[in-house]
């Protein structure tokens, strides 16, 4: 095992993904969910589908905020697995990663199947194909799904850059087409809103569905609406695809938060907007019946141009769902790579190929399992599993967020999830709290109503526990604890700086300090007052003036993301400054120079500190 691990360490993933590539991974995985989920959400929620998407969007927004902070702070392949292991312990990291693997494998299968459905609109003969191999029966859609997954395996083996370029092109086309569908639908609704209003009155589908565990005594339509809402959440599963490529994204500290937020905004607009547009044009029944090509049905309902434009939509549906399936291959292979790298599961599958710099074994393994998963056939059955696995991993991310802020308090966070409150001396983050409540509620509904989802999730959990426990014991590692977690450190810690501020500075100096430090530092503002020759009243007046100035500077710096404390010292500036610098409790020393001097200031302090502490002084010119 030692030789194998050393070989793996020698070959690492390569940073080749740029901003649009990172955005495309998130958008392709989440944005394409519309093509898959729109029809199945209508199947259960009927006219309340926009409300289902809106409720699911609340959880999605909090997921995006949590990932934007954590992925840029811990730019390591693995996503939820990294966050949960670092925050909650190795065993919880394994569970998060294990359910992510299931989520991504289902992602590959469900979107390859959906892609086949859209392709069959362009080539109807696909649906006429049927092959029997022993006990196996393959219809045209399943056979095409197998071919598409095989193609994606080959693309991903070649390299992340080739795979990302493929995704970028498909996403660019889809953004144009979805904008066209949304615009056309909303234009027709403005002309005649009557169809929209009549469809909105159908709150939940009226029929009974075979695979739903209905609760006796509860209104049938309302239960179908709840079920549809959990499936709407599957429309938003996939934002973690950006996190999976963290080790391959250039400038992750800057581009990951931007790409995540752009993906969130784009998906929310299209998911909620197109569901409303669909009700006003096609109604809810037609997209539900033809759910494997629901977006085509919506476009066909547009007068005059619908039949022609539907061909373009079908092609776009084919390529964007294929792109989403591709991000599933990227995601699952990186999770397996990360779990092997950090000793959460056997490392055989996580080996990085020397020629292609990709985890070839993980790609092939996940592709084969996805092919087997595609034999389930129906989209809603596979989406069941997708929703369960995604929600469980998100739940662990929310639990990890506040823990990681305590464990790595001094970590540099390029972006921080908003909504921090202090109640009774405890810091509470609204993003994590709202996320836990919303995802926890959706997960409870899933467990109650989704037969296939809860059964396969339980089976997957049992297999995972056996795999993890047996591996850790054979490797001589504790089942519980933080052995792996200690290796998952933030990309950069916030360094400590003492900044000497002249007593007569103004608050504008905050901008100069912020420009010099760029958010990566914890700043201790220190102003030194020389009491020599001053009366007690003058000293107190100087102290109060200086305190006001420091408070203003600190407020400005906090407003732009720096962690700041301040204090006032009395004595000779040189002696006090040198005593602090010699204490060696700060990583750097910052001094302000420029705008002349005063009698109370001893000249040459910056030069003196630079001479005595070379390499530790940051000089900021006014």
């Amino acid at each position: 095992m030692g030789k194998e691990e050393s070989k793996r360490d020698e070959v690492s993933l390569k940073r080749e993904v740029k901003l649009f590539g990172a955005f495309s991974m998130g958008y392709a995985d989440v944005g394409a969910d519309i093509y898959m989920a729109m029809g199945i959400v209508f199947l259960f929620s009927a006219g309340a589908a926009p409300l289902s998407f809106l409720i699911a969007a609340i959880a999605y927004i909090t997921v995006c905020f949590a990932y934007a902070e954590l992925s840029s702070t811990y730019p390591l392949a693995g996503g939820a697995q990294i966050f949960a292991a670092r925050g909650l312990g190795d065993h919880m990291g394994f569970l998060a990663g294990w359910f992510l693997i299931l989520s991504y494998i289902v992602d590959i299968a469900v979107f390859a199947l959906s892609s086949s459905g859209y392709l069959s609109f362009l080539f109807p003969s696909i649906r006429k194909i049927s092959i029997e191999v022993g006990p196996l029966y393959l219809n045209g859609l399943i056979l095409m799904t197998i071919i598409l997954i095989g193609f994606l395996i080959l693309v991903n083996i070649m390299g992340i850059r080739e795979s990302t370029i493929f995704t970028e092109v498909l996403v660019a086309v889809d953004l144009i087409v979805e904008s066209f569908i949304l615009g056309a639908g909303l234009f027709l609704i403005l002309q005649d809103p009557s169809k929209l209003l009549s469809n909105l009155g159908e709150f939940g589908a009226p029929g009974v569905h075979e695979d739903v565990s209905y609760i006796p005594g509860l209104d049938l339509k309302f239960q179908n609406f709840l079920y549809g809402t959990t499936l709407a959440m599957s429309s938003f599963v996939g934002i973690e695809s950006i996190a999976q490529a963290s080790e391959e994204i250039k400038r992750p500290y800057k581009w990951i938060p931007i790409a995540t937020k752009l993906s969130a905004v784009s998906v929310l607009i299209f998911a909620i907007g197109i569901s409303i547009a669909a009700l006003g044009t096609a109604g809810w029944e037609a997209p539900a019946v033809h759910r494997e090509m629901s977006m085509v049905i919506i476009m066909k309902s547009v007068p005059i141009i619908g039949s022609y434009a539907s061909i373009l939509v079908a092609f776009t549906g084919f390529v964007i769902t294929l792109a989403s399936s591709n991000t599933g291959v990227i995601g699952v292979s990186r999770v397996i790579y990360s779990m092997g790298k950090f000793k959460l599961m056997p490392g055989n599958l996580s080996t990085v190929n020397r020629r292609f710099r990709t985890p070839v074994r993980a790609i092939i393994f996940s592709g084969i399992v996805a092919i087997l998963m595609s034999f389930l056939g129906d989209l809603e059955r596979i989406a069941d599993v997708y929703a369960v696995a995604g929600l469980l991993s998100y739940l662990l991310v929310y639990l990890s967020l506040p823990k990681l802020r305590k464990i790595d308090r001094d970590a540099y966070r390029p972006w921080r999830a908003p909504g921090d409150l202090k109640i009774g001396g405890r810091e509470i983050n609204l993003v994590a709290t709202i996320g836990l409540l919303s995802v926890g509620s959706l997960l409870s509904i899933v467990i109650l109503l989704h037969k296939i989802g809860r059964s396969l999730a339980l089976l997957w959990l049992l297999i995972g526990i056996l795999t993890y426990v047996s591996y850790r014991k054979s490797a001589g590692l504790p089942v519980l604890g933080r052995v792996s977690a200690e290796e998952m450190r933030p990309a950069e810690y916030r360094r400590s700086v003492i900044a000497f501020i002249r007593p007569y500075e103004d608050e504008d100096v905050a901008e100069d300090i912020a420009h010099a430090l760029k958010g990566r530092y914890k700043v201790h503002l220190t102003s030194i007052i020389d009491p020599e020759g001053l009366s007690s009243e003058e000293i107190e007046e100087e102290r109060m003036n200086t305190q006001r100035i420091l408070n203003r500077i600190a407020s400005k710096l906090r407003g732009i993301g720096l962690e700041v404390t301040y204090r006032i010292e009395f004595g000779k500036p040189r002696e006090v400054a040198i005593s602090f610098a010699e204490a060696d409790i700060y990583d750097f020393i910052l001094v302000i120079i420029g705008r002349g001097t005063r009698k109370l200031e001893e000249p040459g302090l910056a030069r003196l500190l630079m001479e005595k502490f070379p390499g530790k002084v940051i000089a900021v010119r006014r």
Side-chain angles (χ1 to χ4, degrees):
M1 188 174 70
K3 288 182 180 179
E4 187 182 2
E5 287 178 357
S6 64
K7 287 179 181 177
R8 271 201 315 275
D9 291 340
E10 291 171 9
V11 187
S12 59
L13 300 175
K14 191 175 181 181
R15 292 198 182 274
E16 291 192 315
V17 181
K18 297 181 180 179
L19 176 58
F20 188 70
F23 162 77
S24 297
M25 286 184 184
Y27 180 81
D29 212 355
V30 188
D33 291 0
I34 298 168
Y35 287 85
M36 178 274 294
M38 190 65 66
I40 60 175
V41 173
F42 277 127
L43 180 66
F44 290 94
S45 295
L51 181 58
S52 290
F53 282 114
L54 182 61
I55 293 171
I58 295 171
Y60 174 61
I61 291 169
T62 60
V63 168
C64 289
F65 282 167
Y67 266 95
E69 174 176 331
L70 295 175
S71 300
S72 54
T73 306
Y74 305 87
L76 301 166
Q81 168 247 314
I82 295 291
F83 315 146
R86 181 72 177 165
L88 306 172
D90 294 358
H91 56 296
M92 299 304 285
F94 171 80
L95 285 179
W98 188 245
F99 277 107
L100 271 183
I101 290 173
L102 177 60
S103 176
Y104 277 122
I105 288 174
V106 175
D107 178 284
I108 299 168
V110 74
F111 286 105
L113 182 60
S114 184
S115 186
S116 300
Y118 283 101
L119 188 63
S120 70
F121 177 83
L122 299 172
F123 302 99
S125 58
I126 291 174
R127 292 183 173 271
K128 299 176 183 178
I129 298 172
S130 63
I131 300 174
E132 290 188 27
V133 182
L136 291 178
Y137 168 76
L138 302 178
N139 60 34
L141 288 180
I142 294 176
L143 184 62
M144 182 55 62
T145 300
I146 294 170
I147 293 171
L148 291 177
I149 293 173
F151 166 71
L152 295 178
I153 290 172
L154 291 176
V155 169
N156 279 273
I157 286 173
M158 291 172 61
I160 186 69
R161 185 60 191 144
E162 290 76 8
S163 179
T164 306
I165 291 172
F166 174 70
T167 303
E168 287 175 7
V169 172
L170 301 186
V171 165
V173 172
D174 179 68
L175 286 170
I176 296 169
V177 171
E178 283 195 28
S179 298
F180 176 71
I181 296 172
L182 179 59
L186 294 179
F187 176 77
L188 290 173
I189 289 172
L190 289 174
Q191 301 300 309
D192 181 12
S194 58
K195 190 169 186 177
L196 170 65
L197 295 174
S198 64
N199 275 282
L200 285 173
E202 195 69 60
F203 188 91
V208 175
H209 296 270
E210 181 183 344
D211 295 322
V212 179
S213 300
Y214 288 101
I215 303 168
L218 194 61
D219 181 71
L220 174 68
K221 285 188 173 184
F222 182 67
Q223 291 192 64
N224 279 332
F225 166 71
L226 291 178
Y227 194 97
T229 301
T230 61
L231 291 176
M233 188 62 211
S234 71
S235 313
F236 298 131
V237 172
I239 196 64
E240 70 277 347
S241 296
I242 298 173
Q244 300 312 328
S246 293
E247 286 190 42
E248 294 154 283
I249 295 175
K250 294 180 178 180
R251 303 175 70 190
Y253 57 89
K254 182 177 182 180
W255 287 350
I256 287 176
I258 295 173
T260 303
K261 287 181 278 187
L262 284 176
S263 296
V265 171
S266 304
V267 171
L268 289 176
I269 291 172
F270 288 126
I272 298 172
I274 291 177
S275 64
I276 293 171
L279 290 177
T281 53
W284 69 270
E285 290 182 275
V289 171
H290 303 282
R291 48 196 172 277
E292 74 281 357
M293 58 175 78
S294 56
M295 295 287 277
V296 172
I297 300 303
I298 295 167
M299 194 66 247
K300 283 189 74 174
S301 65
V302 176
I304 303 174
I305 63 169
S307 57
Y308 302 102
S310 61
I311 297 173
L312 175 61
V313 173
F315 175 74
T316 307
F318 162 66
V319 296
I320 194 62
T321 49
L322 186 61
S324 185
S325 188
N326 183 55
T327 59
V329 179
I330 295 172
V332 70
S333 59
R334 270 57 182 181
V335 173
I336 294 172
Y337 160 79
S338 179
M339 292 178 75
K341 174 184 175 182
F342 290 112
K343 304 180 182 65
L344 293 176
M345 66 184 297
N348 295 333
L349 290 175
S350 64
T351 304
V352 175
N353 183 274
R354 291 178 176 276
R355 178 181 176 186
F356 299 110
R357 301 282 291 276
T358 55
V360 172
R361 293 179 186 176
I363 292 169
I364 294 173
F365 167 77
S366 57
I368 291 172
V369 178
I371 287 171
L372 296 175
M373 182 74 72
S374 67
F375 283 95
L376 282 173
D378 292 337
L379 277 176
E380 58 269 27
R381 290 184 177 183
I382 305 177
D384 269 5
V385 188
Y386 192 42
V388 174
L391 289 172
L392 282 167
S393 63
Y394 289 161
L395 205 63
L396 292 173
V397 170
Y398 293 130
L399 290 170
S400 302
L401 178 59
K403 286 278 188 181
L404 288 169
R405 287 186 174 183
K406 292 179 181 178
I407 291 170
D408 293 317
R409 188 178 298 275
D410 291 332
Y412 168 56
R413 287 174 166 76
W415 190 82
R416 190 179 176 93
D420 293 329
L421 297 176
K422 281 197 174 181
I423 301 176
R426 293 184 61 185
E427 187 176 283
I428 296 175
N429 181 256
L430 288 179
V431 166
T433 304
I434 294 171
L436 279 170
L437 291 173
S438 57
V439 168
S441 300
L442 288 171
L443 187 58
S444 300
I445 298 169
V446 167
I447 293 171
L448 283 172
L449 302 181
H450 293 244
K451 289 180 182 178
I452 294 176
R454 67 173 179 249
S455 300
L456 284 180
L458 180 59
L459 177 61
W460 186 257
L461 175 62
L462 294 175
I463 294 171
I465 291 172
L466 289 174
T467 301
Y468 176 70
V469 172
S470 59
Y471 164 67
R472 295 282 282 200
K473 287 188 174 180
S474 66
L477 297 169
V479 174
L480 304 178
R482 297 180 53 81
V483 175
S484 301
E486 290 306 313
E487 298 179 22
M488 302 169 179
R489 297 186 176 276
E492 187 173 346
Y493 279 95
R494 198 183 295 267
R495 294 171 180 172
S496 179
V497 177
I498 183 168
F500 293 115
I501 307 297
R502 298 176 294 192
Y504 53 84
E505 284 294 355
D506 56 61
E507 62 189 86
D508 292 340
V509 75
E511 296 176 8
D512 299 312
I513 295 172
H515 180 73
L517 301 182
K518 300 191 185 300
R520 288 178 169 81
Y521 299 89
K522 181 163 52 179
V523 184
H524 304 275
L525 301 176
T526 303
S527 196
I528 307 168
I529 297 174
D530 188 348
E532 186 177 336
L534 299 177
S535 66
S536 57
E537 290 81 5
E538 288 173 327
I539 292 173
E540 179 60 20
E541 183 181 354
E542 187 84 355
R543 185 193 67 78
M544 291 178 66
N545 289 335
T546 304
Q547 184 168 333
R548 278 195 293 270
I549 292 167
L550 289 175
N551 186 47
R552 289 171 186 160
I553 295 170
S555 296
K556 270 200 164 187
L557 291 172
R558 287 175 187 139
I560 52 182
L562 286 166
E563 185 178 337
V564 185
T565 62
Y566 66 84
R567 62 168 167 249
I568 299 172
E569 297 290 336
F570 295 89
K572 295 292 183 183
R574 286 191 174 201
E575 294 173 5
V576 176
I578 290 172
S579 67
F580 275 110
E582 286 179 336
D584 201 27
I585 57 175
Y586 302 103
D587 297 303
F588 294 99
I589 305 160
L590 184 146
V591 289
I592 311 295
I593 56 177
R595 290 195 178 177
T597 61
R598 282 191 175 188
K599 291 181 181 178
L600 293 177
E601 181 189 26
E602 295 184 43
L605 177 60
R607 184 179 298 174
L608 175 66
L609 291 173
M610 287 178 185
E611 290 174 355
K612 289 184 70 67
F613 307 99
K616 288 190 66 173
V617 178
I618 302 171
V620 175
R621 291 188 177 274
R622 297 294 326 264

